[in-house]
Amino acid sequence: MAQYYPGTSQVADNRRKFLNPDKKLEKLREISDEDVVKVLGHRAPGEEYKSVHPPLDEMDEPDDIVRELVEPIDGAKAGDRIRYIQFTDSMYFAPAHPFIRSRAYLNRYRGVDAGTLSGRQIVEARERDLEKLSKELLETEFFDPARSGIRGKTVHGHSLRLDEDGMMFDMLRRQVLNKSTGKVESVKDQIGRELDEPVVLGEPLDEKTLRNKTTIYRVDGEAYKDDKDAVEVLHHIHVSRSQGGFCPE
Amino acid sequence: MANKKFIKALNKKFKEAPEDKTTTYYTYGGWTQSERKTEFVNAGKEVAKKRGIPQYSPDVGTPLGQRALMPYQASSTDTYVEGDDFHFVNNAAIQQMWDDIRRTVIVGLNTAHNVIEKRLGMEVTPETIMEYLETVNHAMPGAAVVQEHMVETHPSLVADSYVKIFTGDDELADEIDKSFVLDINKEFPADQAKALKAEVGDKVWQIVRIPTIVSRVCDGGTTSRWSAMQIGMSMISAYNQCAGEGATGDFAYASKHAEVIHMGSYLPVRRARAENEPGGVAFGFLADMSQATRTDPDDPVKSSLEVVAMGAALYDQIWLGSYMSGGVGFTQYATAAYTDNVLDDFSYYGKEYVEDKFGLCKAPNNMDTVLDVGSEVAFYGLEQYEEYPALLETQFGGSQRASVVSAAAGIATAFATGNAQTGLSAWYLAMYLHKEQHARLGFYGYDLQDQCGASNVFSIRADEGLPLEMRGPNYPNYAMNVGHQGEYAGIAQSAHSARGDAFAFNPLVKISFADKNLSFDFSKVRAEFAKGALREFQPDGERSLIIPAK
């Protein structure tokens, strides 16, 4: 049986939930396909997908055992471009965090390329597949409208104090809290181009819910050092890697 | 620690208390909140007007200054400056630090003396040595000694070029004019002087500084060539040699190859750099260039972090940032290691933990100590970012935090064991802990060397398993990752600081930078950087003499 993450804490449990593709993630909001396309900013809603090669069926590809073994994803079959969605996750109890996203994506989605940094996490895929997974990422507990940001460039905010309205800092102010509705709206696409109409992302999760769902260890939440099992496994990894280099046999 | 060393800086940076989790954004007036950016804007307008091509304008691109553009405290000083002031282009002290390293070569006189005595049957005495030193101090800055009708350099432009000697032979040193001698007894505490003199023995070494202006116009590889040429000519002159006799070839060979210690080794052709370029400066050499071990021998944290600061500027800002990458952003990463007393706080915490639990250098030099001290200090550091949101905002990049936390873990562990290799192991352990605690680390590079690094700490394979002191920026996997190399050099130093060693790797390098004639004071690295940031540092190699007066 796959072991997704060690530890006895709630954070460890949450990490296991994200990482295990058999676990269905809780759907927290509804965002239409059209709104997902708007936020991504790669094509206009209703616009045809751009192609970078003919559909695979029309290409005279050489025989190859790998082609027989691996079923292409839909976007590859159609010849779609490779596009991206990138998130910034606030260290103040955002639900998902960069390495959890990357590990989860690679377990849950086929045909994706994940990149991990401290202040952003990108996933690239064929465009129609990207839109499908983006919808899931935005609608489920991967995302909180206030503490998670959809940011193609100028990403910074993950480590900054929260704004007085509880929103994560974004120098391009793509997601704003509409005080009259209490809901967060995307007023720009992920790269920072203004949208004709805001896309409603829903209400921010309350602090208690965030702390229950988060995958970051913090001393004012659950401290990593107190999750003895998790730390023990990490120590074991460090010792094993060190000894492996010392005496590879 | 009860008295957090970074709190003062946090209070200066932000109007809110360091513990506050919220603030107000988008109200700061953009770049106008910054004195330095405002100065840049005005200067940029002048430049544009004069040359007819647009220049600096922060309104191009992203809207700078939507949050507080905070000042930075140079660690261990009371100086607060803007981040821009630590960019090496804006900081004459950082420039001179590198200039002084690049223009230095250590050359033995011993082979040359052997040739004179054993091949030519002539006598070498303190008097002949002094005559040679007087000659070489005329020639080294760029003057002629053998031929007439020669072009020479203006003394005021090359005032920083000279040759000094040192030896472990006190009697010989006493007989040479003081102006030519770097007196080990005078510059180092007695126990360190004794250790260093024992390493040097009765050998005589020259510290050669070629002119700053020469190494700037040419490159680090020029240093030993310029030096050797002037040494050869001076030998011929001082010892009345025939310019064509075989012995002169021996002088040239000795001063170009046989008895030459470059500050940086030659890099592989794929990196295409000569000797005395930053990529070849071994961590142990950099550690020895720093002089806080002799001025603050009882403060191992300070002497370790002075090395970190030097390395952050040289390896990150200059080498990786500009030679290798060409970007201007590396300064932001690198300065985290020498600003706001953050690494200082974490490292002093580690030192206290080690002293309380084991005593410096008293812990077993094994993996149990790595896991114990490395984890303790990493957890402490990470928790500071969680307890003080202003600190997290100060070191807002994961790469900054990863380097600072791991450096503290590595330094503290080396304090415990007195061995840099176990310190290095704790560095990698701290990287793993950080990555799992916060589910993020640094930029992509941290997924490379910090995930595979543990495997080469104790490797028995020749190249991979080098002691940390012998590794350098061109070590496999270290070649393109900001926020590491200065810290590695600091960890290399920390083991020796805790042991009270007189030097980390090369005693000759340590002695050569205990030199009051250098305009950059290598015993006060961070204070000198601060001086540079305040525009109070007077560098060498200026050319105002030969340009129109303003």
Side-chain angles (χ1 to χ4, degrees):
Chain A
M1 194 179 82
Q3 297 177 61
Y4 290 100
Y5 205 84
T8 55
S9 61
Q10 180 66 44
V11 170
D13 209 37
N14 293 344
R15 289 184 178 193
R16 282 191 286 273
K17 184 171 61 179
F18 276 112
L19 268 48
N20 184 347
D22 296 331
K23 295 275 184 188
K24 196 168 168 55
L25 296 173
E26 188 183 348
K27 187 172 175 179
L28 299 173
R29 61 194 73 81
E30 192 84 43
I31 299 178
S32 71
D33 294 354
E34 188 177 315
D35 281 349
V36 171
V37 169
K38 282 184 191 170
V39 170
L40 287 174
H42 299 311
R43 67 183 181 107
E47 185 186 350
E48 287 291 307
Y49 290 108
K50 291 187 174 66
S51 301
V52 290
H53 60 74
L56 290 181
D57 288 349
E58 297 172 17
M59 292 176 73
D60 188 20
E61 294 190 292
D63 288 339
D64 183 334
I65 185 67
V66 175
R67 289 193 172 85
E68 289 172 25
L69 288 171
V70 180
E71 170 75 15
I73 56 175
D74 292 345
K77 281 182 192 164
D80 288 358
R81 304 181 295 176
I82 291 171
R83 304 307 290 149
Y84 64 86
I85 186 168
Q86 183 166 262
F87 289 95
T88 295
D89 299 297
S90 170
M91 289 178 71
Y92 295 101
F93 300 105
H97 292 273
F99 275 110
I100 305 307
R101 283 190 184 275
S102 285
R103 293 167 183 168
Y105 294 175
L106 296 174
N107 288 347
R108 287 174 176 272
Y109 305 118
R110 294 181 60 232
V112 300
D113 185 8
T116 325
L117 297 93
S118 62
R120 57 192 164 107
Q121 195 284 339
I122 189 169
V123 60
E124 297 178 77
R126 299 284 188 155
E127 192 162 0
R128 71 192 64 200
D129 302 293
L130 176 84
E131 288 175 3
K132 207 183 301 172
L133 73 87
S134 296
K135 185 172 165 71
E136 187 172 321
L137 297 179
L138 293 170
E139 287 187 335
T140 64
E141 52 194 314
F142 264 110
F143 186 74
D144 172 63
R147 310 283 169 97
S148 318
I150 316 154
R151 303 179 183 184
K153 69 167 185 183
T154 315
V155 298
H156 206 71
H158 80 278
S159 56
L160 271 53
R161 293 166 295 173
L162 298 172
D163 200 359
E164 54 192 351
D165 58 9
M167 297 288 292
M168 177 169 55
F169 172 79
D170 174 11
M171 74 191 284
L172 296 182
R173 304 186 81 175
R174 282 161 278 216
Q175 288 160 230
V176 294
L177 180 68
N178 183 331
K179 285 184 179 142
S180 61
T181 64
K183 292 181 178 175
V184 174
E185 298 171 348
S186 269
V187 296
K188 297 175 183 174
D189 67 15
Q190 64 172 337
I191 212 73
R193 289 174 294 233
E194 292 209 22
L195 297 172
D196 294 337
E197 294 288 332
V199 169
V200 179
L201 299 173
E203 287 179 17
L205 298 175
D206 61 64
E207 197 67 23
K208 190 177 167 198
T209 306
L210 281 169
R211 284 173 181 248
N212 282 336
K213 290 187 178 300
T214 195
T215 51
I216 189 171
Y217 286 102
R218 290 178 54 98
V219 72
D220 50 353
E222 284 182 304
Y224 182 51
K225 69 179 177 188
D226 294 337
D227 198 337
K228 304 289 183 202
D229 286 2
V231 173
E232 187 184 332
V233 170
L234 186 140
H235 280 174
H236 178 70
I237 289 169
H238 179 69
V239 173
S240 300
R241 286 185 185 176
S242 303
Q243 289 175 340
F246 171 65
C247 191
E249 292 80 19
Chain B
M1 284 204 314
N3 180 22
K4 309 283 183 190
K5 295 184 183 302
F6 48 77
I7 292 291
K8 197 173 159 193
L10 298 183
N11 285 327
K12 179 96 173 171
K13 283 163 178 274
F14 305 108
K15 62 179 189 297
E16 300 86 356
E19 297 86 354
D20 286 0
K21 285 186 177 163
T22 59
T23 183
T24 308
Y25 291 116
Y26 321 111
T27 59
Y28 291 91
W31 54 262
T32 61
Q33 65 176 292
S34 157
E35 191 184 321
R36 191 64 72 235
K37 303 293 186 201
T38 305
E39 180 189 340
F40 288 0
V41 168
N42 294 332
K45 280 180 188 161
E46 284 294 311
V47 170
K49 194 173 155 191
K50 201 168 172 181
R51 71 182 192 182
I53 307 169
Q55 208 219 23
Y56 183 80
S57 169
D59 295 326
V60 173
T62 49
L64 199 64
Q66 299 306 303
R67 61 178 170 118
L69 294 172
M70 56 198 165
Y72 292 87
Q73 180 183 21
S75 293
S76 78
T77 76
D78 288 324
T79 301
Y80 289 84
V81 293
E82 297 204 34
D84 304 304
D85 300 322
F86 285 125
H87 193 288
F88 71 83
V89 167
N90 300 331
N91 191 307
I94 293 176
Q95 293 166 20
Q96 192 63 49
M97 175 201 73
W98 168 224
D99 290 337
D100 285 348
I101 296 171
R102 189 181 55 226
R103 70 195 187 90
T104 295
V105 63
I106 304 170
V107 184
L109 271 175
N110 313 294
T111 303
H113 288 169
N114 272 338
V115 170
I116 291 166
E117 290 186 326
K118 292 181 181 165
R119 174 171 173 146
L120 305 179
M122 296 168 71
E123 204 180 0
V124 175
T125 65
E127 288 72 29
T128 66
I129 292 174
M130 278 194 285
E131 185 173 347
Y132 161 74
L133 287 170
E134 188 178 350
T135 310
V136 80
N137 272 290
H138 163 76
M140 192 57 69
V145 288
V146 177
Q147 297 188 65
E148 57 82 48
H149 204 287
M150 289 296 287
V151 169
E152 298 178 316
T153 56
H154 191 301
S156 297
L157 292 169
V158 290
D160 58 340
S161 177
Y162 56 87
V163 178
K164 284 182 177 180
I165 61 163
F166 61 86
T167 176
D169 180 344
D170 281 346
E171 273 183 41
L172 176 61
D174 280 347
E175 291 185 65
I176 307 286
D177 188 291
K178 298 285 170 263
S179 62
F180 297 130
V181 178
L182 194 152
D183 187 341
I184 298 172
N185 296 315
K186 200 170 152 193
E187 301 302 335
F188 290 87
D191 57 331
Q192 293 184 11
K194 189 178 168 195
L196 290 165
K197 284 190 297 181
E199 293 290 335
V200 178
D202 61 0
K203 297 281 193 293
V204 182
W205 293 90
Q206 303 171 88
I207 309 160
V208 177
R209 317 278 186 205
I210 75 160
T212 294
I213 201 166
V214 172
S215 69
R216 283 194 164 196
V217 173
C218 305
D219 71 351
T222 304
T223 302
S224 62
R225 297 182 192 117
W226 178 284
S227 153
M229 192 60 82
Q230 317 315 323
I231 287 173
M233 292 298 164
S234 300
M235 276 288 171
I236 289 169
S237 177
Y239 287 94
N240 293 313
Q241 299 297 297
C242 167
E245 71 174 301
T248 58
D250 291 347
F251 296 149
Y253 183 71
S255 55
K256 280 192 175 176
H257 304 286
E259 263 196 305
V260 178
I261 298 170
H262 302 282
M263 298 304 98
S265 56
Y266 174 81
L267 290 178
V269 170
R270 69 200 168 98
R271 303 220 184 276
R273 302 288 168 193
E275 298 87 353
N276 275 29
E277 290 294 335
V281 180
F283 300 144
F285 269 34
L286 194 85
D288 283 328
M289 288 166 195
S290 175
Q291 297 291 314
T293 42
R294 66 180 169 85
T295 55
D296 298 276
D298 299 324
D299 190 345
V301 171
K302 183 172 182 188
S303 54
S304 303
L305 300 197
E306 291 282 290
V307 175
V308 171
M310 268 178 78
L314 179 62
Y315 295 141
D316 287 343
Q317 297 177 229
I318 296 173
W319 172 242
L320 292 180
S322 285
Y323 274 82
M324 297 287 283
S325 147
V328 294
F330 282 56
T331 303
Q332 190 73 62
Y333 288 89
T335 52
Y338 63 82
T339 53
D340 300 326
N341 288 319
V342 183
L343 180 54
D344 301 59
D345 182 84
F346 297 0
S347 299
Y348 279 109
Y349 173 85
K351 174 172 162 279
E352 285 179 18
Y353 177 77
V354 167
E355 282 174 334
D356 291 348
K357 186 157 185 177
F358 305 104
L360 291 181
C361 305
K362 297 280 174 53
N365 188 32
N366 61 23
M367 188 57 83
D368 287 342
T369 304
V370 172
L371 297 178
D372 178 341
V373 180
S375 301
E376 175 68 28
V377 178
F379 286 139
Y380 171 81
L382 291 169
E383 284 171 15
Q384 304 316 299
Y385 296 114
E386 296 157 10
E387 288 176 354
Y388 298 96
L391 181 65
L392 187 62
E393 187 164 324
T394 291
Q395 298 197 335
F396 56 85
S399 300
Q400 298 173 314
R401 300 189 296 273
S403 297
V404 168
V405 168
S406 287
I411 285 168
T413 304
F415 284 167
T417 61
N419 184 299
Q421 228 61 17
T422 31
L424 183 63
S425 181
W427 163 283
Y428 292 115
L429 170 67
M431 287 291 181
Y432 298 159
L433 290 165
H434 191 160
K435 181 176 173 183
E436 293 314 310
Q437 180 156 327
H438 286 167
R440 48 168 57 77
L441 200 61
F443 78 114
Y444 292 114
Y446 290 69
D447 285 339
L448 195 173
Q449 76 185 64
D450 293 312
Q451 306 311 308
C452 68
S455 299
N456 64 41
V457 173
F458 304 113
S459 171
I460 54 172
R461 287 193 274 194
D463 189 26
E464 289 180 4
L466 277 178
L468 186 56
E469 292 87 337
M470 297 174 76
R471 299 184 187 193
N474 201 44
Y475 183 79
N477 289 335
Y478 290 3
M480 196 60 229
N481 208 353
V482 69
H484 286 68
Q485 301 178 349
E487 289 79 355
Y488 288 152
I491 294 170
Q493 176 58 55
S494 63
H496 299 281
S497 293
R499 292 156 57 101
D501 290 343
F503 63 94
F505 184 32
N506 188 312
L508 309 185
V509 174
K510 176 60 79 178
I511 295 165
S512 296
F513 284 84
D515 183 359
K516 289 190 172 65
N517 282 93
L518 289 171
S519 61
F520 185 88
D521 185 344
F522 283 78
S523 72
K524 299 186 183 75
V525 172
R526 292 173 292 181
E528 291 287 78
F529 289 178
K531 215 160 133 185
L534 293 170
R535 303 175 181 180
E536 292 172 358
F537 183 87
Q538 182 60 50
D540 291 317
E542 295 307 284
R543 44 186 184 170
S544 48
L545 188 76
I546 50 168
I547 60 175
K550 283 187 180 167

